Amino acid sequence: QDYLVESGGGVVQPGRSLRLSCAASGFTFSHYAMHWVRQAPGKGLEWVALMSFDGRNIYYADSVKGRFTISRDNSQNTVHLQMNSLRTEDTALYYCARDVGDGYNVLYLDYWGQGTLVTVSS
Amino acid sequence: EIVMTQSPATLALSPGERATLSCRASQSVRSNLAWYQQKPGQAPRVLIYDASTRATGIPARFSGSGSGTEFTLTISRLQFEDFAVYYCQQYIHWPPITFGQGTRLEIK
């Protein structure tokens, strides 16, 4: 069974930082691209960031570009999302998800974690 | 950026009925489209990829069709566990990866 488990969410004030982590197990993590996707309360899915299997291809949504940084450690089977200069509109449940592709060819997301909640509020 | 538009926003049907959900892309995505199901309190799960291929373990009552800009997810005979929110997603023109806004399938 393939698993993704997110952690690191919490309540943070606007302008502060937070680092999310996603631990993978049950599959060869280093073969797959990984995404972060978020969902604001009661809203739909919004793609946030993508990193290729080897960490060389990185893409961000315009809404987070320059503030968020995705990284991965293939030796630890983890992917991270460093979130700086947080805004109230970043409040959401953040999911990590595995891409069937390698990040040079982006495909669909076949495994998702259960998400970690980030609340940005003063 | 490709905009994905789903309709209707909400669909109210009874168990046993047939559900037809639509997804339209602002430009052609060929067959590079996936459908996801999300139940309350759960993560999304992929149902269909490449517009018409069922993902592993997905029941045969779920089917996808279409190509280019018009796509359909059909659930042939609704079961209680099918009432959820459904999203489409394109994966040919990226970044960004884009999702539709979702269709809520609710019990009538």
Side-chain angles (χ1 to χ4, degrees):
Chain A
Q1 186 69 28
D2 301 349
Y3 288 107
L4 297 170
V5 179
E6 302 94 338
S7 61
V11 180
V12 62
Q13 293 179 325
R16 304 298 289 263
S17 300
L18 209 57
R19 186 179 192 236
L20 307 183
S21 297
C22 172
S25 60
F27 64 96
T28 307
F29 179 74
S30 61
H31 288 185
Y32 295 90
M34 296 298 296
H35 298 254
W36 286 96
V37 177
R38 68 185 180 184
Q39 187 169 36
K43 302 297 184 182
L45 302 171
E46 179 189 14
W47 172 77
V48 173
L50 155 70
M51 177 169 271
S52 61
F53 75 103
D54 57 4
R56 294 183 179 182
N57 255 11
I58 298 172
Y59 300 96
Y60 298 99
D62 286 346
S63 58
V64 307
K65 200 173 295 182
R67 301 188 298 122
F68 290 11
T69 302
I70 188 172
S71 62
R72 67 189 293 160
D73 183 341
N74 284 347
S75 69
Q76 298 292 320
N77 293 345
T78 55
V79 60
H80 305 281
L81 187 68
Q82 177 67 43
M83 305 186 296
N84 298 332
S85 302
L86 281 161
R87 305 168 179 169
T88 55
E89 56 264 35
D90 295 320
T91 293
L93 186 63
Y94 284 73
Y95 295 102
C96 70
R98 187 181 84 171
D99 194 308
V100 173
D102 60 10
Y104 289 87
N105 290 299
V106 170
L107 298 173
Y108 57 94
L109 309 181
D110 66 340
Y111 280 98
W112 299 62
Q114 287 304 304
T116 186
L117 182 62
V118 173
T119 303
V120 184
S121 173
S122 54
Chain B
E1 172 179 331
I2 294 188
V3 177
M4 308 301 292
T5 303
Q6 293 186 240
S7 61
T10 303
L11 182 60
L13 294 170
S14 300
E17 290 192 298
R18 180 186 187 92
T20 303
L21 288 66
S22 296
C23 175
R24 174 177 292 178
S26 59
Q27 62 187 85
S28 176
V29 299
R30 300 190 197 177
S31 294
N32 294 275
L33 185 111
W35 288 95
Y36 300 86
Q37 177 194 65
Q38 187 179 32
K39 298 180 181 179
Q42 295 185 19
R45 71 161 176 164
V46 63
L47 300 174
I48 301 287
Y49 62 90
D50 293 347
S52 61
T53 303
R54 273 190 305 277
T56 303
I58 301 304
R61 65 181 181 274
F62 290 90
S63 63
S65 63
S67 66
T69 61
E70 300 285 342
F71 300 89
T72 300
L73 174 69
T74 302
I75 311 171
S76 58
R77 294 180 64 171
L78 284 166
Q79 299 191 5
F80 281 104
E81 60 264 31
D82 299 336
F83 292 92
V85 180
Y86 293 84
Y87 296 94
C88 60
Q89 175 232 328
Q90 65 83 19
Y91 47 91
I92 189 171
H93 296 292
W94 55 271
I97 291 93
T98 49
F99 295 89
Q101 81 279 18
T103 289
R104 180 178 304 277
L105 181 56
E106 61 182 36
I107 298 177
K108 188 173 183 180

